[in-house]
Amino acid sequence: MPKKVWPYVFLAPFLIAYLTFNLFPLLYSLYISLTSWNGFGAMTFVGLDNYRTLLRDTAFFRSVGNSFLIVLEAMIPNQIVSLTLALILNYNLSKRATTFFRNAFFLPYITSPIAIGLIFMTVFDGSYGLLNTLLRNVGLESLCVDWLQTAAASKPLVAFVILWRFGGYVAFVYLAGLQSVDTSIVEAARIDGAGFIRTYCSVVIPMIRPIIAYQATLGVIGCLKTFEEPLMMYNNSYNGGPGYAAQTMNMRFIQVAFKNGQYGYGAAVGYTMFAIIVVTTILFYVLANRNKT
Amino acid sequence: MVHAVKRFSPGRLALWIVLLFVTAVALVPFIMMLVMSTQNNYEIFSGASFRFGDHLMKNLESIAAVNFPRSMFNSLVIAVGTTVLSVFSSAMAGYAFAKWHFKGKKVIFFMVLATMVVPMEVGYVAFIYQMRLMGLAQTFWPLILPNVANAAGVFWMTSYMQDGVPYEIIESGRIDGCNEMKIFFQLVLPLLRPALYSLSVIAFLGSWNAYTLPMLMITKSEMFTIPLSIASLGNMQIADYGARILGVVVGILPILVIFLLTSKYVAEGLTAGSVKG
């Protein structure tokens, strides 16, 4: 076989699977978004009608708003908490202690999100849940509410669950970044009289800024795609709790396309979500990497 | 970074308290699930406690009736299939990107990167139809095939091989008269061993935990995977809360065991991939 062919041979399994089972359905869904189709009968081409309907679909816009609020309430605290944890873990712990904390912090991350939703459904339960039991035991009975029935609580609860799931993992990503920082630079800063906090804020964190920007971008993408946790927390309901308060874009998309069987319109909802995610990601990434030092 | 003080100090004590508190927050929900899975309704409804009950066997009987062992077997078949195929395709594609020059390389690599931003769920609208047309709808293939092209895996393999596989090894194979396939499988793959372990465990976890696509593709309860069974426990209007929670425990237990046995590879894989990007 001529040498020029070999790279394509190595690429073939990946490329064939990618084109057939990823790219093709993605493009075909774009076409479906221009049709009226219930999943079985004939597809009727309707042009941009679905997208016109979407412009007046308040339920969809509400879900978009919910998703962005979840980005704010989950992604930002997640980066702050993870970075703080990484700084602490970097403080000269023994190898055994680091391994212990790593395994403990990774457990939520590797647990299936469906199980996580169900776990927190029991934690936040109004009558027998862990949270209210704790509050009662420390005499804060007045703070007990039926968490899952309170619309105002739903996005913060989802955000907390996301933080619980990802916080420890992201902390270890940041720790790997911190450990790649040259120690002599840190020592130099200390010799120049910079204190602990000053050293971190003005020397170490700027050095790992690309990692922070990358992790925050991944966090934005992940939060915008949130789906399984709120679904299970609210009893496998696609409405996302009281008053649709935690119905995310992705939940709305799957509800419209597959649960209501409006495949054509659902594909349009999906593609709009797709566009929102891509544009937000690019904007965020550019902003986060601005004034690179 | 090395700090001069390693002895006991109030600051150090504070750090430990923070770390142990976070560990507790991470672990308590798991421990609580373990406890609740041994209780009956009366014990559960009298408020969360950490006292084990004695209804474990009764709860086990309840979930055995909902075909749990069967879903575990299904999840295993799908996850192993996905892992083997996606790890091989990622390693081969990574080898092409890292060690070969060819036409279209930049365009294809950009496509790979772009895939990581795209919400794949959007394609499911057509994918379900496609699988029906291909006659694969009532099989496990729809849950395996889309994951064979693993963009993150290819990206990671490429960057791993750029530094981890010297050209000299490939050349020495050519001088010895090996064909290119043999060079890849006998000389290159062994060098990738740690990365292959990490990638395998991560691919396995991803497949085992997947929910959306199985939920859309699988209708028959005997073909359910673990997350589907857990979700159906959530739907059940059974009064039996202990059994429901035991279902979650049994569903995530294999993952916890696999993770604890391979945590070194998982952690290295997950963090290395993210720092490099």
Side-chain angles (χ1 to χ4, degrees):
Chain A
M1 216 183 305
K3 229 181 134 194
K4 261 165 95 177
V5 181
W6 276 106
Y8 297 105
V9 173
F10 286 114
L11 211 54
F14 168 79
L15 209 57
I16 291 170
Y18 175 75
L19 295 175
T20 323
F21 303 112
N22 297 48
L23 195 62
F24 172 72
L26 212 53
L27 296 177
Y28 198 50
S29 294
L30 184 60
Y31 171 73
I32 292 177
S33 78
L34 305 174
T35 69
S36 168
W37 186 46
N38 63 9
F40 288 91
M43 284 179 204
T44 330
F45 188 82
V46 294
L48 291 173
D49 273 8
N50 287 330
Y51 291 94
R52 259 179 235 125
T53 315
L54 189 74
L55 285 177
R56 295 186 304 270
D57 186 343
T58 47
F60 175 67
F61 287 115
R62 180 180 55 212
S63 74
V64 173
N66 287 342
S67 288
F68 275 95
L69 283 173
I70 288 174
V71 171
L72 286 182
E73 292 173 27
M75 191 280 289
I76 296 169
N78 197 346
Q79 306 310 318
I80 296 170
V81 168
S82 304
L83 199 52
T84 314
L85 279 176
L87 293 174
I88 293 174
L89 287 163
N90 198 25
Y91 194 79
N92 215 7
L93 288 172
S94 71
K95 209 171 169 225
R96 196 190 284 169
T98 312
T99 308
F100 169 76
F101 289 123
R102 185 190 69 196
N103 288 354
F105 290 7
F106 265 68
L107 280 187
Y109 180 71
I110 55 130
T111 303
S112 117
I114 279 296
I116 290 175
L118 206 57
I119 290 174
F120 278 93
M121 192 173 124
T122 65
V123 169
F124 295 134
D125 187 277
S127 55
Y128 65 89
L130 179 68
L131 180 57
N132 277 354
T133 311
L134 262 177
L135 287 173
R136 274 194 288 268
N137 283 346
V138 294
L140 291 170
E141 188 123 30
S142 55
L143 290 180
C144 289
V145 287
D146 197 346
W147 299 102
L148 295 174
Q149 301 306 323
T150 310
S154 54
K155 277 185 285 283
L157 290 186
V158 172
F160 173 79
V161 174
I162 293 173
L163 173 65
W164 182 81
R165 179 173 168 211
F166 290 100
Y169 159 66
V170 179
F172 272 89
V173 174
Y174 283 144
L175 180 64
L178 288 175
Q179 284 168 344
S180 68
V181 172
D182 191 353
T183 47
S184 60
I185 297 174
V186 179
E187 286 308 311
R190 309 208 97 191
I191 290 165
D192 287 347
F196 180 78
I197 290 171
R198 185 77 201 277
T199 312
Y200 275 106
C201 291
S202 8
V203 180
V204 178
I205 289 178
M207 288 189 73
I208 61 162
R209 194 176 144 164
I211 300 175
I212 299 177
Y214 181 65
Q215 283 304 314
T217 309
L218 287 183
V220 170
I221 300 174
C223 287
L224 286 177
K225 289 190 199 172
T226 303
F227 166 60
E228 285 137 312
E229 294 96 335
L231 178 73
M232 287 317 285
M233 266 169 66
Y234 292 105
N235 226 346
N236 212 348
S237 145
Y238 283 81
N239 290 338
Y244 303 93
Q247 188 187 46
T248 63
M249 286 195 278
N250 214 349
M251 285 164 90
R252 180 70 192 157
F253 158 61
I254 288 179
Q255 183 177 42
V256 172
F258 303 107
K259 299 293 150 181
N260 303 352
Q262 297 172 281
Y263 279 67
Y265 185 56
V269 171
Y271 257 93
T272 310
M273 167 176 88
F274 178 165
I276 291 173
I277 293 179
V278 171
V279 171
T280 314
T281 306
I282 293 171
L283 275 181
F284 183 83
Y285 194 70
V286 170
L287 275 177
N289 278 302
R290 178 190 54 157
N291 321 321
K292 229 177 199 167
T293 37
Chain B
M1 274 166 281
V2 185
H3 297 274
V5 194
K6 212 192 167 164
R7 290 173 293 113
F8 173 83
S9 73
R12 217 175 150 72
L13 181 69
L15 296 185
W16 270 91
I17 290 172
V18 174
L19 285 178
L20 290 175
F21 173 75
V22 176
T23 309
V25 173
L27 296 185
V28 160
F30 288 106
I31 298 168
M32 201 197 60
M33 296 300 275
L34 272 181
V35 173
M36 286 170 100
S37 69
T38 66
Q39 296 177 328
N40 62 9
N41 277 355
Y42 175 77
E43 288 163 316
I44 289 173
F45 287 127
S46 54
S49 78
F50 291 99
R51 264 192 305 276
F52 283 95
D54 50 9
H55 291 79
L56 179 62
M57 288 322 286
K58 235 188 111 251
N59 291 341
L60 265 179
E61 278 165 29
S62 313
I63 62 160
V66 241
N67 246 338
F68 235 77
R70 184 61 200 258
S71 2
M72 213 171 257
F73 174 76
N74 294 341
S75 281
L76 189 72
V77 170
I78 296 165
V80 169
T82 305
T83 306
V84 171
L85 293 177
S86 78
V87 167
F88 271 102
S89 76
S90 305
M92 287 171 82
Y95 181 58
F97 283 125
K99 295 293 159 187
W100 293 82
H101 297 284
F102 54 92
K103 252 196 190 142
K105 181 167 156 174
K106 276 200 177 135
V107 178
I108 301 174
F109 196 68
F110 177 77
M111 271 178 8
V112 174
L113 284 182
T115 319
M116 295 205 265
V117 185
V118 172
M120 278 301 164
E121 293 91 331
V122 178
Y124 293 169
V125 177
F127 184 71
I128 297 174
Y129 184 54
Q130 182 191 2
M131 287 295 111
R132 225 161 43 216
L133 292 182
M134 291 173 82
L136 298 172
Q138 292 305 321
T139 69
F140 287 144
W141 285 111
L143 310 183
I144 298 176
L145 294 172
N147 299 319
V148 174
N150 172 355
V154 172
F155 183 59
W156 184 36
M157 279 289 139
T158 305
S159 62
Y160 192 90
M161 272 186 259
Q162 269 158 353
D163 314 325
V165 178
Y167 281 105
E168 290 78 16
I169 297 212
I170 302 170
E171 279 309 318
S172 77
R174 283 183 190 141
I175 291 163
D176 288 347
C178 299
N179 78 38
E180 296 295 335
M181 264 306 156
K182 209 168 166 192
I183 292 176
F184 175 73
F185 279 101
Q186 295 194 343
L187 301 176
V188 176
L189 269 192
L191 296 176
L192 307 177
R193 209 169 277 154
L196 291 178
Y197 287 149
S198 307
L199 197 59
S200 306
V201 187
I202 294 163
F204 188 92
L205 289 176
S207 171
W208 185 278
N209 288 340
Y211 175 70
T212 314
L213 192 55
M215 182 266 293
L216 297 175
M217 289 302 313
I218 291 182
T219 45
K220 287 189 252 171
S221 68
E222 65 264 29
M223 285 176 72
F224 271 14
T225 60
I226 284 288
L228 290 180
S229 282
I230 294 180
S232 73
L233 289 173
N235 253 353
M236 255 196 292
Q237 295 304 319
I238 43 165
D240 207 352
Y241 276 73
R244 186 155 130 171
I245 290 162
L246 182 64
V248 177
V249 172
V250 173
I252 60 184
L253 218 52
I255 280 298
L256 298 191
V257 173
I258 291 174
F259 171 69
L260 290 176
L261 292 176
T262 58
S263 65
K264 188 172 151 264
Y265 292 112
V266 185
E268 273 170 13
L270 286 172
T271 44
S274 308
V275 173
K276 271 217 141 161

